[in-house]
Amino acid sequence: MAIAEFLLFVLTTTLGGMFLCGANDLITIFVAPECFSLCSYLLSGYTKKDVRSNEATTKYLLMGGASSSILVHEIELQEIVNGLINTQMYNSPGISIALIFITVGIGFKLFPGPSHQWTPDLYEGMLHSWFSSFRDYECNRSIRRQKDHPKMIISWLLRTNQIRWFFFSIFLTCSYGTKVEKIEKNQSFTTTDEGFLEKLRIIVAFLSVTSKVAASASATRIFYIPFYFSSNEWHILLEILAILSMILGNLIAITQTSMKRMLAYSSIGQIGYVIIGIIVGDSNGGYASMITYMLFYISMNLGTFACIVLFGGLPPLAGFFGKLHLFWCGWQVGLYFLVSIGLLTSVVSIYYYLKIIKLLMTGRNQEITPHVRNYKRSPLRSTNSIELSILFFQN
Amino acid sequence: MKSISIYLSLILHRMDLPGPIHDFLLVFLGSGLILGGLGVVLLTNPIYSAFSLGLVLVCISLFYILSNSHFVAAAQLLIYVGAINVLILFAVMFINGSEYYKDFNLWTIGNGLTSLVCTSILVSLITTILDTSWYGIIWTTRSNQIIEQDLISNSQQIGIHLATDFFLPFEFISIILLVALIGAIAVARQ
């Protein structure tokens, strides 16, 4: 459990995500998720002592390997599709096959509807291992002498850079504004989505958020540029995925008793909203709304996994604007069915967010309240700044 | 099948084998492939499965030779058979002999669903391959390539593309290998 490998895996995961966002040819679109996934497996299996984290890692690895193989076949079919597009054959079965394969391959990374089974196990295993190792750190004096315990690393990173992360987050939101302009003018995606570097508190937050960001960025590019002429087909596919993930994610989250699994299922539901943004596309600012929502999702999720207590209070305020913009764009384009399902499921999701608040207010869990006192100020500050700057840039 | 082989020979301007031998080798290797695949899945002893996986990979390599892609055939032999299959055998040999499954359900609902999905993928791939006009694609993409293409062998073309067009993924893969090495050590050490 040394610090050197930890930092190396985190940095290489970041590198893989950045290359995925900035990919310009198909080989990079395959190689970059490989790098990202490999480092994610290594990070998720970092605490070897805990059995549950090992189980989570194994599941993640197997599913990731299977999806990568599907993605490889898709890349190979994509080359055929390029040839087909050159010969102007837009309706051949080859294009549909390539489309299905790539939807499955990318669908795994984003985990919308059908590919979501491994997500809660992964979150539960990893959070359990990380929390138990933190708890051991607090309670066991002999471990505290180890300078390279992950909790030491993370808290050191945050203590020394707190103010800098804050200003960095403001800078990132400004860069998000310029990036949105670039997409709307169909320019190339040369900068990268680095919003996740705001708060590197717990590695599960990092993993969940990074994979979503990178995969949705690549999904927008892949679905929009080569598959432009068969847009009806992938609209239908993505609609099905969005509906499945919204319904499944939010409904199953109601019945969960464990907080970590509930958060995992809620993140599945939120990917459904993001997919609506992808479907809407370039006209009417669909990509802008997707990125806006992604930003809120990042800040919410990082705050959540870090302190588990303030999630309920903020989403109806900050995430509300993101969802509103998404649904507004969707309604304008004409996806009435999708948007109505989205509205229904967000009402459902408010239920389990409020359940978390209720749990907080009744004060059943004594361990969390010191963390509330310590961390209450910073997430509020940063989320408000992000919200203000987004509102500023939306015009 | 014959048309596909004619198209491939049109690309490469070389057809080393006359027609009947070509077809016979195709059928032979194909049946070896299918038998090997069945062996991997259905044999109970995992070491036998690993060896039949080696047979499958060797058959695929011979397919590549039949299609005049010598570089890929050599790479397949070196990497898949020589490294990956050997690694699988190492892992399989750690399994104790007495833990083989003696009584497992031969057919469950999950198996039925999976066979349905796999059969549908197979059928759709076959129809796609037969319905696509490869002739048009090949002749359209040929005009985009470099002029002296017939004078340069396949391996040299791959080298040229790796060093010019795909240089960035090439270097990125080296970083992946480094991280894989470090990760393997970090996971496996005590």
Side-chain angles (χ1 to χ4, degrees), chain A residues 1-2 5 8-9 12 15-16 19 25 27-28 31-32 35 38-39 42 48 80 83-84 86-87 89 93-94 97 101, chain B residues 121 124-125 127-128 131-134 136-137 140-141 144 165-166 168-169 172-173 175-176 179-180 182-184 186-187 189:
Chain A
M1 286 233 265
E5 286 106 20
L8 175 75
F9 297 148
T12 322
L15 192 68
F19 269 104
D25 51 342
I27 289 187
T28 317
V31 167
C35 179
L38 177 70
C39 303
L42 292 168
K48 291 176 283 191
I80 300 174
L84 281 172
N86 282 340
T87 62
M89 286 173 57
I97 291 280
F101 269 79
Chain B
I121 291 178
S124 54
L125 278 176
T127 50
T128 308
D131 281 345
T132 319
S133 77
W134 301 99
I137 297 175
T140 313
T141 55
N144 301 335
D165 294 331
F166 304 120
L168 182 65
F172 193 48
I173 287 176
I175 295 181
I176 294 180
V179 173
I182 295 178
V187 165
R189 80 175 163 188

Side-chain angles (χ1 to χ4, degrees), chain B residues 156-171:
Chain B
Q156 284 172 321
Q157 284 182 36
I158 292 178
I160 289 173
H161 279 299
L162 270 182
T164 54
D165 294 331
F166 304 120
F167 190 59
L168 182 65
F170 185 62
E171 296 296 329

Side-chain angles (χ1 to χ4, degrees), chain A residues 136-264:
Chain A
D136 291 340
Y137 186 84
E138 301 288 349
C139 305
N140 193 347
R141 217 174 278 190
S142 63
I143 298 184
R144 284 196 209 182
R145 272 183 263 122
Q146 289 179 8
K147 293 258 167 52
D148 53 3
H149 196 273
K151 175 168 168 125
M152 284 294 297
I153 300 165
I154 295 176
S155 57
W156 171 78
L157 275 174
L158 291 164
R159 256 184 289 125
T160 55
N161 293 322
Q162 192 89 26
I163 301 296
R164 275 177 241 154
W165 294 112
F166 174 57
F167 286 117
F168 189 53
S169 63
I170 294 185
F171 168 70
L172 283 172
T173 49
C174 302
S175 65
Y176 265 112
T178 58
K179 204 188 327 260
V180 160
E181 284 176 39
K182 269 192 186 173
I183 290 178
E184 284 177 346
K185 292 181 203 158
N186 254 337
Q187 290 174 6
S188 66
F189 218 137
T190 50
T191 54
T192 59
D193 285 324
E194 297 182 34
F196 57 84
L197 284 178
E198 292 171 16
K199 290 179 194 178
L200 196 61
R201 287 182 194 240
I202 294 187
I203 212 64
V204 174
F206 170 71
L207 275 188
S208 69
V209 161
T210 331
S211 66
K212 301 278 182 49
V213 165
S216 38
S218 79
T220 59
R221 299 201 73 203
I222 288 178
F223 279 118
Y224 197 66
I225 297 174
F227 285 111
Y228 182 68
F229 294 105
S230 49
S231 52
N232 292 330
E233 299 182 7
W234 59 263
H235 275 180
I236 295 177
L237 270 178
L238 284 184
E239 275 180 27
I240 295 175
L241 279 183
I243 291 174
L244 267 179
S245 59
M246 284 192 287
I247 293 180
L248 272 177
N250 287 312
L251 282 184
I252 299 182
I254 296 179
T255 68
Q256 290 299 317
T257 50
S258 153
M259 178 115 35
K260 308 159 203 165
R261 295 184 82 103
M262 184 193 302
L263 289 172

